[in-house]
Amino acid sequence: MRLALVMSLVAAPVLADGCPEAPDISAEMAPLYEELLQAPDEMTARGITNRMWLLWDNAPDEPSQEMLDEGMRARAAFDMVRALKRFDALVNYCPFYAEGYNQRAFVNFIRQDYAAALPDLDRALELNPRHIGALSGRALTLIALGRDDEGQAALRAALEINPWLVERRLLKEEPGEEL
């Protein structure tokens, strides 16, 4: 037990420098974005976004995949402290992997720590501007922070990519607009 603890402490700094860049998935994603715009209904769109999540959730290497998976399992078990620790480790290890930021933001959103969620969503979107989860999460976070105008703009941006998001129900009509 003691040796395992020492080994994990020794290994941590080595891991911090070792994450490869996230793979370029744009070629796989492009047709999925097009399919979303052509989707005839919400159920079809949900199937397409599930295929997108399979790509987004594919971390750059084995250690980062383990951190992502552990964080997601912890979140699913409502162990938000452990989930945050795993996503913190993932973001530190792979600072150019958008999903690490998106998942950490999601945990903070669940914890209602919207101020902590927003910078992570912004960073995820810097890395992947068409990440639908981060776009819709940003909209919900801004609305939760009472920044309705910004939230509505963010929601409209998300809906331009996926018009079938369930969050569309939160969209408010602009003057002269009919939803």
Side-chain angles (χ1 to χ4, degrees), residues 138-158:
R138 187 172 187 278
L140 294 173
T141 300
L142 288 165
I143 291 168
L145 286 167
R147 294 163 59 181
D148 287 342
D149 290 344
E150 291 174 87
Q152 289 294 310
L155 182 54
R156 288 178 194 289

Side-chain angles (χ1 to χ4, degrees), residues 25-38 48 51-52 55 130:
I25 57 172
S26 56
E28 294 93 335
M29 292 296 285
L32 296 175
Y33 286 117
E34 289 301 317
E35 286 180 43
L36 271 178
L37 294 175
Q38 303 303 317
I48 296 164
R51 291 176 14 224
M52 292 174 147
L55 294 168
R130 296 176 76 191

Side-chain angles (χ1 to χ4, degrees), residues 154-167:
L155 182 54
R156 288 178 194 289
L159 290 168
E160 284 180 22
I161 295 171
N162 182 358
W164 294 104
L165 288 171
V166 296
E167 292 87 354

Side-chain angles (χ1 to χ4, degrees), residues 60-83:
D61 65 3
E62 191 173 321
S64 58
Q65 188 68 55
E66 187 173 314
M67 288 178 231
L68 177 66
D69 293 345
E70 287 175 2
M72 292 171 78
R73 281 192 298 271
R75 184 189 66 226
F78 300 99
D79 185 348
M80 300 305 164
V81 172
R82 178 155 175 73

